[in-house]
Amino acid sequence: MLTPAQAETLIEQHLVCLPIESLPLTQVAGAVLRENIYAERDQPPFDRVAMDGIAINSIGAANQVGRLKIAAMQAAGDPPLTLNDSSGCIEIMTGAMLPAGCDAVVPVEQVQRNGDIVHVRKPVQAWQNVHRRGSDCRQGALLLAAGTRLAAPEVAIAAGAGMARLRVSAQPMIVVISTGNELVEPGDVIEPHQVRRSNAYGITASLRQHGFTRVADDHLRDDEAELTARLDFHLRTHDVLILSGGVSMGRLDLVPKVLEKLGVNLVFHHVAQRPGKPMWFGVSQSGPAVFALPGNPVSTLVCLSRYVLPALRAAMGESPSEPPRISLTAPVEVKASLAFYLPVKLKTDDWGRTSAEPCPTNGSGDFMSLAGTQGFVELPPGPNTYPKGFVARYYRW
Ligand code: AMP
Ligand code: MG
């Protein structure tokens, strides 16, 4: 049976990168950049005044025992003036270009003004309060590489580079499909022998939380004809299918059989892990990737975070990143010789160090125990007891 790392590699090898689309800057938050962004100009593009005050020539001013005549006023956005008389000064605003003939700015707080004469109270250093041209980056420097996920700073940087639109990955068309005769929609009347259809909502919430917006939803009964017709439709209309349930050994676990009949090539079925062992993954001859997750609710969410979310990020062209490593606050016993996913609550100590408090569930059906957890750690196969302080890979929901 595959290890989780082997399963992950197989998924990566079978993914196709999603197409590129061009979006205006207001719509790119959370998207993955698919082009490099270079500096349009030096940054700052000119010697930028960093304080409101007066611009002076530090040498000329030194001869004036601190008393300078204001020759003019220059605001941010004004073309630069010239200080012709180095014993004078120019009243200046933050963001203005440093006037020619000046090399320092004295803040308003450090001058005393009397009409158009200012008295400078402190000694002046050349280039004080001037953000020098090109000191942050040079024109043409690589600012953002393709594969970067765009958050607030990256969007601001792209705007600063003059880009009105960005080439980013198109959102995948995803469909979340629950299976099972026993499942009843929240809000509908439920019989004692029935179960709420919770997985689809958990999966959709996770996808939305991670920035995926094109998410459809369907529910299928454990009926070969219904599964065949609907899955055929979804394979024609979506990039990614995320199923839950119907992949175990029961007589009505029809999902693998129907998928293969519809031309979805099996990549793997079963991973040496608990929970989530029956996970099935395949790729349709027509393109879409199919993740068929076990139906037990803890298994479903674990497999989603462990495999599906990273795969979707990779398909969007995001540069790969290692999951963070985190230490356990208490020992954990792993009995089976399978990788073990342990839900955890993150705890931060007085020094800001984060560790993982184990929150074991009462089996893979017990999703009530997941309340308040932020994710899970992946522990190596047992039998073994991992001590307090053991460092493991952390995946968030
Ligand atoms: P299965 O993988 O179809 O054998 O389902 C395993 C267990 O998970 C059964 O107890 C199902 O009732 C339950 N289950 C399957 N799908 C869902 C779902 N969408 N929401 C909640 N429970 C589910
Ligand atoms: Mg089922």
Side-chain angles (χ1 to χ4, degrees), residues 179 182 222 246 253:
T179 68
E182 74 278 28
D222 298 311
D253 290 328

Side-chain angles (χ1 to χ4, degrees), residues 179-183 222 244-248 252-253 295:
T179 68
N181 295 348
E182 74 278 28
L183 300 176
D222 298 311
S244 67
V247 289
S248 304
L252 290 181
D253 290 328

Side-chain angles (χ1 to χ4, degrees), residues 3-294:
T3 66
Q6 289 168 334
E8 187 179 17
T9 305
L10 280 174
I11 293 171
E12 273 166 27
Q13 288 168 351
H14 285 86
L15 286 178
V16 252
C17 215
L18 288 154
I20 292 175
E21 64 183 359
S22 163
L23 289 182
L25 278 187
T26 47
Q27 285 171 35
V28 298
V32 177
L33 188 64
R34 294 283 288 278
E35 61 181 328
N36 290 338
I37 304 296
Y38 300 94
E40 178 185 33
R41 301 186 291 167
D42 287 349
Q43 197 62 29
F46 48 78
D47 286 334
R48 185 183 73 92
V49 170
M51 298 287 272
D52 297 313
I54 56 164
I56 64 169
N57 179 297
S58 60
I59 296 168
N63 301 326
Q64 299 304 308
V65 284
R67 294 175 65 78
L68 309 171
K69 187 163 190 292
I70 298 177
M73 198 271 279
Q74 187 193 314
D78 289 348
L81 299 174
T82 299
L83 181 66
N84 292 313
D85 176 0
S86 69
S87 65
C89 68
I90 292 175
E91 188 180 0
I92 200 85
M93 310 298 155
T94 303
M97 189 185 233
L98 189 70
C102 295
D103 68 353
V105 171
V106 184
V108 146
E109 298 85 344
Q110 291 172 17
V111 301
Q112 211 166 4
R113 182 166 180 168
N114 206 337
D116 59 357
I117 301 293
V118 291
H119 179 73
V120 177
R121 290 194 297 231
K122 276 189 156 181
V124 175
Q125 306 274 316
W127 304 114
Q128 70 173 35
N129 300 311
V130 178
H131 188 184
R132 299 295 310 268
R133 172 178 180 162
S135 59
D136 298 350
C137 75
R138 287 296 182 184
Q139 180 180 30
L142 177 65
L143 300 179
L144 302 172
T148 302
R149 186 169 285 274
L150 299 166
E154 290 78 21
V155 176
I157 290 167
M163 305 294 297
R165 304 179 72 87
L166 294 177
R167 288 159 64 76
V168 298
S169 291
Q171 281 271 339
M173 303 276 282
I174 305 173
V175 59
V176 175
I177 306 163
S178 58
T179 68
N181 295 348
E182 74 278 28
L183 300 176
V184 173
E185 197 61 45
D188 287 356
V189 175
I190 194 160
E191 302 290 338
H193 54 276
Q194 296 177 320
V195 173
R196 289 292 180 197
R197 179 177 171 259
S198 59
N199 283 346
Y201 289 94
I203 295 173
T204 302
S206 166
L207 294 171
R208 294 211 179 278
Q209 188 188 320
H210 289 276
F212 299 98
T213 53
R214 295 181 185 156
V215 184
D217 171 90
D218 198 6
H219 176 70
L220 306 178
R221 296 177 60 80
D222 298 311
D223 173 84
E224 191 166 337
E226 180 171 324
L227 283 164
T228 306
R230 295 297 299 165
L231 291 178
D232 184 38
F233 168 77
H234 290 306
L235 287 166
R236 290 171 200 281
T237 48
H238 291 90
D239 301 309
V240 180
L241 279 62
I242 306 175
L243 289 93
S244 67
V247 289
S248 304
M249 306 305 285
R251 192 217 284 247
L252 290 181
D253 290 328
L254 301 166
V255 166
K257 173 180 163 192
V258 170
L259 286 171
E260 284 168 58
K261 193 173 76 182
L262 290 170
V264 182
N265 293 324
L266 169 70
V267 177
F268 64 79
H269 190 185
H270 297 113
V271 181
Q273 61 186 11
R274 180 171 290 164
K277 188 167 129 193
M279 178 176 168
W280 190 102
F281 172 70
V283 178
S284 168
Q285 283 149 18
S286 57
V290 183
F291 298 88
L293 312 180

